[in-house]
Amino acid sequence: SLYSNVFRLAMRMLGAYLPWRIMLPSTFASMFVNVVAPLGGASGVAVFVDQAIRRKQSPARTAAGAMLALISDFTAFSLILATGLTYLFYYNDLKVYEVIAAALLLLLTIGMTLILLLGLWQPGLLRRLLEWAHRFVRLLFKRFRRPSPLKPDWVEKTFDDFVGIGLAIRSKPKNLVKIFLISFTAYAMDLISLWMIFRAFGQDVHFGILVAGFSMGILVWVITITPQGIGLVEGMMALVYTSLGIPANIATVIALTFRGLTSWL
């Protein structure tokens, strides 16, 4: 529900309105799409765009709203990730691949932010990119003897939308803070759930250890190319907790239980 609310508020901020009865099932559907086509959460955006087209909303603003929600999600997680990385570094348990994965997440977040703000900072570059995309799609469909799905005025409409998106983001900083706080609350609830699972199995855990295993698991979940990080997330969480002193059998069953409750259920 919190995750769906992040998407709803981000889209509304940018001028795309989808009712709550559509947003909640669409959020679940986007999660399923991310399982089938894992792209760091970006593939699920297509679900929201499809719903927007059905309701005569702007596809560009809807996609931008979903992207803004992902940026907020990754930014909130980055605070938790920084805590986990600091704890692992302090105890000399930080691995090179963990640093590389964190850097990839940072680059992904920066890249999506630049795309949203391109119309505000570099409108000329944005127009050239849209014109190139329009020509590419037209030539691609022409090769298969099919008409292009993009209308002749697609460049102008999309350009105007992205300029408006940039202005909306700049003019409503309080809304950005609200979206971020909801994203952070969702992660805080995940951490509380994980702590309760530790307690359920009779295992005491230091806050730093709790955050370290959680942050590394979620990082693999976002960065990995496997569907929702099947096997990798559970393995990473168990590996980190074991390296920090949690018995291997307990660490494994906790990681599997957490993933079962927060993802697969």
Side-chain angles (χ1 to χ4, degrees):
S1 179
L2 282 172
Y3 195 56
S4 180
N5 207 34
V6 170
F7 277 96
R8 185 178 67 85
L9 290 176
M11 290 177 189
R12 176 169 291 185
M13 175 181 173
L14 301 185
Y17 302 94
L18 293 178
W20 179 257
R21 62 182 177 82
I22 298 299
M23 284 302 304
L24 189 60
S26 294
T27 302
F28 285 120
S30 71
M31 292 177 179
F32 173 74
V33 172
N34 287 329
V35 172
V36 179
L39 291 172
S43 53
V45 172
V47 175
F48 297 107
V49 173
D50 177 65
Q51 291 296 334
I53 293 173
R54 291 168 181 262
R55 286 159 181 79
K56 302 186 184 304
Q57 298 288 319
S58 167
R61 288 180 178 268
T62 303
M67 194 178 296
L68 179 61
L70 289 175
I71 292 171
S72 172
D73 181 71
F74 293 161
T75 303
F77 171 64
S78 293
L79 295 180
I80 297 172
L81 177 62
T83 304
L85 290 173
T86 301
Y87 187 87
L88 291 172
F89 177 78
Y90 182 78
Y91 282 93
N92 297 315
D93 199 37
L94 185 61
K95 307 296 190 302
V96 175
Y97 59 82
E98 293 169 344
V99 176
I100 293 174
L104 289 174
L105 176 64
L106 178 62
L107 290 174
L108 177 62
T109 305
I110 292 174
M112 290 193 298
T113 303
L114 290 176
I115 290 173
L116 286 186
L117 297 177
L118 204 56
L120 191 63
W121 292 341
Q122 294 288 336
L125 177 59
L126 174 62
R127 185 182 292 275
R128 289 195 296 273
L129 288 173
L130 292 174
E131 289 173 348
W132 175 85
H134 189 269
R135 287 195 301 270
F136 176 78
V137 172
R138 179 167 51 85
L139 291 174
L140 179 64
F141 276 76
K142 184 179 180 181
R143 191 178 187 88
F144 293 97
R145 299 179 181 179
R146 300 289 297 175
S148 172
L150 302 180
K151 297 180 180 179
D153 60 350
W154 177 83
V155 172
E156 287 300 323
K157 285 187 175 181
T158 306
F159 176 78
D160 291 341
D161 275 336
F162 268 87
V163 171
I165 286 165
L167 292 173
I169 292 174
R170 186 176 66 178
S171 64
K172 301 176 181 178
K174 290 184 178 180
N175 288 357
L176 287 176
V177 173
K178 185 177 182 179
I179 294 169
F180 169 80
L181 288 176
I182 296 175
S183 298
F184 190 82
T185 301
Y187 279 112
M189 291 183 67
D190 278 341
L191 275 171
I192 293 172
S193 298
L194 181 57
W195 175 77
M196 292 177 69
I197 292 172
F198 268 93
R199 299 298 300 164
F201 285 99
Q203 179 66 50
D204 291 327
V205 61
H206 185 275
F207 178 75
I209 296 176
L210 180 76
V211 173
F214 171 80
S215 60
M216 289 301 104
I218 299 299
L219 180 60
V220 172
W221 191 348
V222 174
I223 296 300
T224 184
I225 60 173
T226 61
Q228 295 291 289
I230 297 175
L232 296 179
V233 175
E234 296 86 347
M236 175 59 77
M237 291 182 69
L239 178 64
V240 171
Y241 284 136
T242 301
S243 69
L244 294 175
I246 304 297
N249 60 329
I250 298 295
T252 301
V253 78
I254 286 174
L256 290 171
T257 302
F258 176 73
R259 282 279 281 170
L261 291 175
T262 59
S263 179
W264 304 117
L265 181 61

